[in-house]
Amino acid sequence: VAPVIADRTLCARLVDAGEGTRVVDVRVTRRLVTRNDDLPADEGSAEELERRLEGLTDRLAVLQTDTNEAVRRAAAAALCAWPADPRTVPALTAVLTNDLDVDVRESVADDLGSLEDARAVPSLLSAAQRDASADVRERAVMSLGQYRDPSILPVLLQALRGDRDEDVRCAAALALWPTNDDRLVPALMQALTNDPIQEVRVSAATALATFCMPGHGEDDRIVPGLCLAFETAIGHEVQAATARALAFIGSSNALAF
């Protein structure tokens, strides 16, 4: 068993109540325990985090009972070691909906994307639309893009068109995937030409290129739209992104441009 690793990395040892004592190594990186001052002064060590996690006879209980947000983040990540456990996704979605700490909700939104369990979708949809934190909304949008469920598309489009935070709009552009839904290309073109934030326009250009990947056909609106964006772009980053997108597409029309 790997020891506790000092300085922001923890191998959490958990007790599996269903199978007796079972030691599972879960590397909790800087994403989960980002600063030593995440913990009160007397609880700031990796050893203390490990002790509090190791002492639980039910690995789910920490999400509901521990008052320290860093411990709850570590426990949520550890739960992903048991994706088949029927309690895992309901426990994580409850945290995403109810936990008062922004960092905990953000971490759980990310974890739910990696599980790709359809039971997580309703909570992710709610977080993407209603969470007060832009960081949580961004993570929820990114995770929704892993599910490739057509029912998710209206929420991603709403985030792309209307979220007040530019990082959420970037995430929404990149979370969209090629389908025969006729709303997607116009929405990305609108973001490419009209979004006030350069990073969002770059993300839209990148996303449009993926819509022309092999196996998805070639939408005859994309290359002309990228060409126009290249010619009228304000800012080198957007112009470079459209040029990269055209080069990536590599079609005869794009090459002619």
Side-chain angles (χ1 to χ4, degrees), residues 27-34 63 69-78 80 92 95-96 99 101-115 124 131 133 135-140 143:
R27 184 73 48 92
V28 182
T29 63
R30 291 176 63 185
R31 180 176 63 82
L32 298 174
V33 185
T34 57
L63 290 175
E69 61 271 15
V71 176
R72 297 199 304 278
R73 290 200 305 274
C80 294
L92 292 174
V95 171
L96 178 59
D99 201 286
D101 185 79
V102 169
D103 291 336
V104 174
R105 298 198 309 277
E106 180 185 355
S107 178
V108 167
D110 197 29
D111 294 335
L112 288 170
S114 66
L115 290 177
L124 287 169
D131 201 284
S133 166
D135 291 335
V136 177
R137 296 198 306 277
E138 178 188 1
R139 291 292 180 179
S143 289

Side-chain angles (χ1 to χ4, degrees), residues 100-198:
L100 297 179
D101 185 79
V102 169
D103 291 336
V104 174
R105 298 198 309 277
E106 180 185 355
S107 178
V108 167
D110 197 29
D111 294 335
L112 288 170
S114 66
L115 290 177
E116 297 187 29
D117 188 311
R119 292 174 297 168
V121 169
S123 294
L124 287 169
L125 287 170
S126 179
Q129 296 175 91
R130 301 183 183 90
D131 201 284
S133 166
D135 291 335
V136 177
R137 296 198 306 277
E138 178 188 1
R139 291 292 180 179
V141 163
M142 292 170 65
S143 289
L144 285 169
Q146 302 295 318
Y147 284 86
R148 297 297 194 261
D149 181 343
S151 68
I152 292 168
L153 291 174
V155 172
L156 297 182
L157 288 170
Q158 177 185 343
L160 175 63
R161 291 166 174 158
D163 198 281
R164 60 186 177 275
D165 185 87
E166 60 265 28
D167 290 335
V168 178
R169 299 199 301 278
C170 286
L174 297 173
L176 292 171
W177 65 93
T179 73
N180 58 3
D181 190 312
D182 203 45
R183 297 170 294 178
L184 302 188
V185 169
L188 287 167
M189 286 294 183
Q190 181 79 3
L192 174 61
T193 55
N194 293 335
D195 197 282
I197 302 300
Q198 178 172 265

Side-chain angles (χ1 to χ4, degrees), residues 210-221:
T210 68
F211 276 54
C212 295
M213 291 177 66
H216 298 297
E218 182 175 320
D219 190 304
D220 59 11
R221 297 169 293 182

